[in-house]
Amino acid sequence: MAVEPGMGSDGLPHAQMQPANGQSVFEAIEQSGRPDSETYIPWRGEQVFAILNVFPYTSGHLMVLPKRAVASIEELPDDVFDELWPSVRAAVVAVKAAFHPDGMNIGVNDGVAGGGSIPEHLHVHVVPRWRADTNFTATTANTRLLPIPLVDTWQRVRDAWPA
């Protein structure tokens, strides 16, 4: 089934943003002023935030990223770098508490050839995994199975985020 524009992979609406000149889509979402429950931002730090992937590999898939777009890890200012990695750890803690996965994939798509769909804005994927997960179909049939709506995932991760 094809996903309609403005709909997440769970079939429910998500915030679509048109970036202004020079802005990444993540910057547009983070700076939109819309409620976090619509943008699926479960946590905000000083210079870093977390956002659910609206086309996740599995429930709980989120990304941690700087508020200001940079394309590569070496472009991160030291203070942003220093906030990013504890935030990734907090995301792992939250996702594990919310979903009790058997393991985690944590990965960075760095630059155009790094494989990310938004290469101008470095982001760290935090993806829960289960021994019997079935989302291999995402690569074979462009299909994803999400047993939990994104808004429920957002609430679970937000509630589990470490203080």
Side-chain angles (χ1 to χ4, degrees):
M1 177 170 115
V3 176
E4 297 290 323
M7 304 299 256
S9 56
D10 61 358
L12 298 174
H14 68 86
Q16 279 200 313
M17 303 289 148
Q18 293 301 319
N21 285 342
Q23 219 181 21
S24 78
V25 67
F26 293 133
E27 288 172 313
I29 292 168
E30 195 274 328
Q31 297 168 21
S32 71
R34 294 179 77 167
D36 289 345
S37 59
E38 289 180 16
T39 59
Y40 299 127
I41 296 174
W43 175 83
R44 294 171 189 265
E46 290 294 317
Q47 300 178 83
V48 174
F49 70 105
I51 188 169
L52 294 185
N53 189 324
V54 296
F55 299 103
Y57 295 124
T58 189
S59 294
H61 178 178
L62 59 82
M63 297 166 290
V64 181
L65 57 161
K67 291 181 178 181
R68 188 180 68 76
V70 297
S72 188
I73 198 164
E74 67 267 17
E75 295 176 35
L76 287 171
D78 289 344
D79 56 338
V80 178
F81 182 91
D82 291 345
E83 185 180 346
L84 179 67
W85 298 108
S87 302
V88 170
R89 180 174 44 210
V92 169
V93 168
V95 169
K96 283 184 174 182
F99 292 96
H100 309 287
D102 296 324
M104 301 288 293
N105 285 136
I106 301 159
V108 179
N109 297 85
D110 187 308
V112 175
S117 60
I118 303 175
E120 70 276 9
H121 199 142
L122 177 84
H123 49 283
V124 181
H125 289 268
V126 175
V127 184
R129 299 300 303 269
W130 291 266
R131 283 184 219 112
D133 60 18
T134 58
N135 282 322
F136 65 89
T137 56
T139 59
T140 60
N142 199 25
T143 301
R144 290 187 174 86
L145 307 171
L146 290 180
I148 302 168
L150 290 168
V151 70
D152 293 346
T153 296
W154 170 81
Q155 188 67 58
R156 287 169 73 169
V157 171
R158 182 179 171 95
D159 290 348
W161 201 274

